[in-house]
């Protein structure tokens, strides 16, 4: 299981097949230069990939990111998280296939797009909530002064 931050998880879902920089041991340097991706996974994600052997794996959204986006019910990685595969509070995850040179998503494009839409919607709600909280904090003072101004 590989845990990814939200930016890397979105990139994986959007691209569905990511060439890995470095390509692993024995990779042809000329091919590496020709296959430089426009966007790449973060250094933290590439570091996590080093411990994953070639073959099938699971890539999941970091529990803290899933909770912040409202995509994980319940504990979302807290002390009550039993780590069970069928946990209702599990963050979004996809099956992937890792080779020396790439990481590919093993779900349909429709499923990838659906999951990506949920993440983007969660980000939109999260960003929209921040200005409302700030406005509520500053707006309280204005609301208290409004009757005084109206009385003038």
């Amino acid at each position: 299981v590989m845990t990814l931050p939200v930016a890397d998880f979105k990139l994986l879902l959007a691209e569905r097949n990511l060439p890995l920089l470095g390509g692993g041991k024995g990779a042809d340097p000329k091919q590496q230069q020709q296959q430089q991706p426009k966007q790449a996974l973060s250094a933290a994600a590439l570091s996590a990939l080093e411990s994953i052997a070639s073959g099938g794996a699971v890539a999941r959204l970091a529990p803290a990111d899933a909770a912040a986006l409202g995509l994980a019910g319940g504990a979302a990685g807290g002390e009550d998280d039993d780590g069970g595969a069928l946990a209702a509070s599990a963050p979004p995850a996809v099956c992937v296939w890792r080779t020396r040179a790439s990481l590919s998503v093993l779900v349909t494009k429709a499923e990838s797009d659906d999951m990506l839409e949920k993440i983007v919607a969660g980000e939109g709600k999260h960003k929209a909530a921040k200005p409302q909280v700030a406005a509520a904090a500053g707006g309280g003072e204005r609301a208290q002064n409004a009757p005084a101004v109206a009385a003038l």
Side-chain angles (χ1 to χ4, degrees):
V1 176
M2 173 179 51
T3 302
L4 297 174
V6 70
D8 290 327
F9 198 73
K10 283 174 47 179
L11 178 63
L12 181 61
L13 290 173
E15 296 296 323
R16 299 186 39 77
N17 185 4
L18 294 173
L20 301 175
L21 297 175
K25 295 179 182 176
D28 183 13
K30 290 181 182 178
Q31 280 186 329
Q32 288 178 7
Q33 290 175 354
Q34 293 172 353
Q35 295 180 350
Q36 292 293 325
K38 294 178 183 177
Q39 295 181 324
L41 293 172
S42 68
L46 290 173
S47 175
L49 269 172
E50 289 178 4
S51 65
I52 305 292
S54 291
V58 174
R60 73 175 185 163
L61 182 61
D65 289 339
L69 297 172
L71 297 176
E79 62 186 56
D80 294 335
D81 186 9
D82 65 357
L86 299 177
S89 64
V94 293
C95 294
V96 294
W97 188 262
R98 188 215 194 286
T99 67
R100 288 185 299 171
S102 68
L103 183 66
S104 301
V105 175
L106 295 178
V107 296
T108 66
K109 180 158 177 41
E111 290 172 314
S112 293
D113 291 345
D114 184 48
M115 198 175 295
L116 187 58
E117 285 177 20
K118 288 179 183 178
I119 292 170
V120 170
E123 285 179 326
K125 289 178 186 175
H126 184 68
K127 288 179 183 176
K130 284 184 180 180
Q132 289 175 357
V133 170
E141 184 179 312
R142 288 186 205 140
Q144 290 172 354
N145 293 336
V149 171
L152 293 176

